[in-house]
Amino acid sequence: MQSSIIYILLLIANVLCLENENDYNDMFNEINYSKLRVNLIKNRPDEFVNIVKSVGTISDINNVLRKIKTDSIKHGQSYNSYISSEKNNDLLEVTSESPPTVQISEVCLNHSAAVDEGYEQQVPWALSIIDAAGKPSSNILGGSTKWLGAYDECLAVTTAQPVNGITYNFKGQYCTASLSITGDMAKYIRRITVGICVPNSCNEADVKYLINTANNTFKASSIECQEPDKPLDDRAIIVLVVVCLFIAVMVLGTLYDIVFIQRPKWETEDQMASSEYEVKYSKKGEKASLLDNADSKIVHEPGLIGKILLSFSVYTNGASILRTEQSKDTITCINGIRFISMTWVCLGHGYLSSFSIADNIATALPKYKERISFSIITNSFVSVDSFFTLSGLLLTYLVMKNLKKTEGKINWGMFYFHRFWRLTPPYMLILMVYVSLFPYIGSGPLWEKDGPEPNYCKDAWYYNILYINNLVDDPKKQCMVWTWYLANDMQFFILSPLILLPLFYSHLAGVGVLLVFLLGTWISTGVVSSYYEIPAGGFAQTEHRSKIYDRPYARMGPYLVGMYTGYLLYKTGCKWRVNKWLNLILWAVFAALACLILYGLHGDDNGSVTLSNEVAALYNTVHRTIWGVCISWVIFSCATGNGGFINTILSWKAFVPLSRLTYMAYMTHMIVQSYFRLTKQRLVFLNDMETIYEFLGHICLTFAVSFVLSLAFELPMMGLEKIIFKREPRKR
């Protein structure tokens, strides 16, 4: 036991290491700590040499037991009586006149000693425990500071061979130790996280005691032992039953659809085809008779239960997703923009996921940031602003057409309810399944046994259902943090009638209200950014989530731009011709602005240029709005026939079904990436090809999962909405 804990952990402590960061901000700070460690070697080589030498002096693998023996002798008590002075069944305790309290169970202490003895006798299972522990590797100064060990090897340990004639009955248990450094070295070493293998008779308190007793260099701040065979709790069982019910209804709905709805249609089509073949050799009068007979086939009319079942039909819903036909008034280029924006979101988050499991982050990230092409990643956060622009544009375009059709009469209560119904049930169902079942579907050294969400979202889910989770600062009250976008979008939607109605009745009044919102957004963002000295764009924005990144006042700009663009499309009827040369100039101007937003911060990102607080505040204030203007131009130009080959690309029919999945893809892409990251048993060496392969896998799996969840949750809810409100499907 001490071989795995004491030897390995002391070794790690003395070769400089870092905690496995759960926060992306810690990951970037590690680069600065690496620089400090390099300077330590350059400026104080003697101290570093002493640290390295200390590794070689750690040869006594019985440190913990020896320390306990020493303490017992100091207090005039034999070691055997010391460990037998148990006052309860679990912990060894002594009075104030006795040796210091030993907060460890006797069975863990005995099994720990057995591991030491087994190691000395080269017993295979004891060697496996030592071998499974995490060990330092090369490139420590470059960021290789996470040593996970061999997770599967540890769990496979069973005490088959006896030690000194005794066969111990325990198995290997994998634990993760988070250690804090003490002394002067704390300025160069932050914390340590290392995988260790211990007997499963030791609980987390036992392991913590063993580590803290062994040395004065570091102290265990937390221990987490994995539970690979964790039984389902009541919450998970209930959710699993709900999932099974959904599957059962989907199966019944599909069978009902095929047997009673689709099969008669297929038979009619076969008769029609047969009739058309036969009339080629018959008289014209006979043709009408044959076709009439085919059309007279009785079609089943479903009742209420039948319609509900049809809402869950995989056949019909799948065909609805995969259908590429669209109505004539559809702005087709939006499909391509949706899909490309979603892949960009996945790419940016994919890089961040790779950073957190890379063993060369301290050297790889600075090299990445030297490349101007990497700005597409550091500024990938504007990809979400593309969605805000699309949302505002489509909302305004459709509402304006509806207001004209109904002469300004809209049931605003139903207006809000339909939006809430379309988004919320799938959202809550995914949250429920994810939070309840995710902890049970994987394992590994990085796996979080209670799932990624604090306290199973017990204190946070109602913020999500109310769409105010973007206003919550407490990390313990945040659930599915990436859904801050949904909260902002819903808040903008709720405020939209304040702009839509004035804009419909009076262009001047509507523009005035819109400008008031825009100026309010700019002023509040600029003031907050300047006051807190928030750096411009890039990864720095994530360090200020609660001040600027998630907040609606900082994200409404592109939504407002999209709203006005939707109004222009409505007023022009998507028909606006422009001179060829002016069109080229406008494309060049907006392309240049977009490139300025994406690549203009390259010098600031790589440290070659430092922007003043005023310039950074200006950038933070307007860059999202300018990006929305660029996206709006692309849509407006393509929708009015001025997009050329760009419109051809963005309107590719293959984008149509993919764009329908973007809502589900946004909600699930981080779950897919988290599963990949948390089930890794080895860290990765970060390079472009590694990230490209991961990205392609993330995209394929995300949209595959989204397709299934759309069939299970999203489209059934839309079908139920039509039943409840007796809405007829739009004619195409």
Side-chain angles (χ1 to χ4, degrees), residues 31-50:
I31 297 174
N32 297 327
Y33 276 86
S34 294
K35 293 178 181 178
L36 290 174
R37 293 197 288 268
V38 172
N39 292 332
L40 171 66
I41 297 173
K42 291 181 179 179
N43 301 328
R44 300 164 63 184
D46 54 335
E47 183 169 342
F48 184 77
V49 168
N50 290 333

Side-chain angles (χ1 to χ4, degrees), residues 332-333 335-337 340 634 638 646-652 655:
T332 55
C333 66
N335 297 316
I337 295 175
I340 292 172
V634 173
C638 291
I646 295 179
N647 182 52
T648 303
I649 294 172
L650 295 177
S651 300
W652 184 33
F655 287 140

